[in-house]
Amino acid sequence: MSTQPEAIRLAYALKSYSPLPWAKTAHDAAAELRRLHEVNQGLLEASKQALKALDDRSSLMKWQAARESLRQTIAKATGENK
């Protein structure tokens, strides 16, 4: 069993399989899968950080850091940081 994320496995498979008429589409799909995987990892990490900050109610700095991390990750996920 592979520990590689499914999106990354599919991206690699799409990039490897590129018959001429579909080559650009396959490469574009592979790139989008890799981008979405990266965004997903960022959202997961920011969510974990926010949850930890909420659990530790005594630290305002952790709340502020979690909020900023969430803002940055949401901007990246929505393409607002371009």
Side-chain angles (χ1 to χ4, degrees):
M1 177 181 245
S2 175
T3 59
Q4 186 178 40
E6 186 68 3
I8 299 302
R9 185 192 68 76
L10 289 170
Y12 179 77
L14 280 170
K15 191 171 182 181
S16 297
Y17 174 77
S18 56
L20 289 178
W22 301 100
K24 180 164 175 26
T25 302
H27 287 292
D28 289 349
E32 181 63 3
L33 280 168
R34 286 190 297 275
R35 186 191 74 79
L36 290 172
H37 174 72
E38 182 182 335
V39 166
N40 184 56
Q41 292 300 105
L43 288 169
L44 181 59
E45 192 56 41
S47 296
K48 287 178 181 179
Q49 184 182 3
L51 184 59
K52 187 174 181 178
L54 289 172
D55 288 343
D56 184 10
R57 297 179 187 184
S58 63
S59 176
L60 180 59
M61 287 180 60
K62 284 185 182 179
W63 280 54
Q64 291 170 336
R67 183 177 62 190
E68 184 57 29
S69 178
L70 284 169
R71 283 185 180 169
Q72 289 176 3
T73 306
I74 289 169
K76 185 174 183 178
T78 58
E80 294 175 13
N81 64 341
K82 291 182 180 179

